[in-house]
Amino acid sequence: NNPLDKLLFFPSMHVDNGFFSPEETDMIANYCSTLPIGKGGLFDGNDIYNTRNAKTAFINSPDNNTRWIYEKLNTLIGYYNDTMFGFDLIGYDYLQYTEYDVTGKHEFHMDVAMNTPSNISYRINEHLRKLTIVLMLNQQGVDFEGGDFQVNLSEERLPATINMNKGNVLLLPSFILHRVTPVTSGLRKTLVAWVIGPKFK
């Protein structure tokens, strides 16, 4: 056994390619298209258009239309958290439906709120986002071009592209730097969930 294995933490990520069927993915996309959608360049009332150019809508808690989505996500998250991440988790922040049309993008960022400016009130004092879950609702190369999901594990000039097809679910720690590159044609659609838990120790 390598003693360094006990000293170093290497963040993992995983793409599940069969958990949501094409029919279920279409059901989610169709439902999300009915949600009131707004400018995703706003964050807590502040314009971050240069960082995130998208449209967003939110599902804040399960209802009769969405409970099955939460139940499926619970099973998926439970399995991968037990076998891969091992985080202390307690529930969801919220679900976010996101559309990126032509020139839509989201520059490198983490989903953990850290050192936010004083004019932004978003705080998680007792809990924080630990897992980011991204469900692809349509198909790159068919419904849109560009819009790559990339992670930065070392240098920004050497990002890794995570290949995802319609219905795939990406799970990654929320502290990993990631971005969506500009969409060059079509409309990219995703559903994102953030799973929260007590602060890391």
Side-chain angles (χ1 to χ4, degrees):
N1 293 335
N2 186 345
L4 288 179
D5 290 342
K6 297 181 180 180
L7 299 177
L8 301 178
F9 173 73
F10 295 97
S12 300
M13 62 194 75
H14 182 75
V15 176
D16 185 284
N17 61 12
F19 194 73
F20 283 93
S21 70
E23 293 77 18
E24 289 173 328
T25 304
D26 286 340
M27 285 176 60
I28 295 170
N30 290 337
Y31 172 77
C32 288
S33 69
T34 69
L35 298 172
I37 196 163
K39 182 180 178 183
L42 290 176
F43 180 76
D44 202 39
N46 294 269
D47 195 336
I48 57 169
Y49 183 84
N50 289 334
T51 300
R52 181 176 67 183
N53 177 8
K55 295 178 181 178
T56 54
F58 302 96
I59 302 172
N60 292 309
S61 59
D63 58 24
N64 291 336
N65 294 308
T66 61
R67 193 171 308 278
W68 71 274
I69 303 173
Y70 281 89
E71 290 172 352
K72 284 197 68 112
L73 286 174
N74 288 345
T75 302
L76 182 81
I77 293 163
Y79 173 78
Y80 284 110
N81 194 50
D82 287 345
T83 59
M84 181 175 294
F85 301 107
F87 292 157
D88 187 2
L89 304 174
I90 63 167
Y92 296 93
D93 195 353
Y94 49 80
L95 308 186
Q96 176 182 285
Y97 170 63
T98 312
E99 292 184 350
Y100 297 87
D101 56 17
V102 177
T103 73
K105 64 174 184 177
H106 198 165
E107 298 290 358
F108 273 123
H109 65 285
M110 291 189 297
D111 291 336
V112 179
M114 299 177 66
N115 298 321
T116 53
S118 59
N119 63 332
I120 292 181
S121 63
Y122 180 76
R123 297 285 189 276
I124 300 178
N125 293 321
E126 299 299 328
H127 304 101
L128 69 140
R129 292 173 178 174
K130 289 189 170 180
L131 272 181
T132 295
I133 317 296
V134 182
L135 168 62
M136 287 299 305
L137 295 177
N138 59 356
Q139 182 60 49
Q140 187 177 33
V142 176
D143 302 305
F144 66 93
E145 301 286 350
D148 290 329
F149 190 100
Q150 296 184 330
V151 296
N152 177 7
L153 298 179
S154 58
E155 298 181 54
E156 186 171 338
R157 64 185 181 87
L158 297 172
T161 297
I162 309 299
N163 295 317
M164 296 171 61
N165 295 314
K166 177 181 175 179
N168 287 179
V169 182
L170 170 66
L171 304 95
L172 76 161
S174 298
F175 53 75
I176 290 180
L177 282 167
H178 57 281
R179 71 177 177 186
V180 176
T181 65
V183 171
T184 57
S185 67
L187 185 67
R188 181 184 189 270
K189 302 178 181 181
T190 60
L191 184 69
V192 181
W194 292 280
V195 192
I196 63 172
K199 293 179 179 180
F200 287 110
K201 296 180 179 180

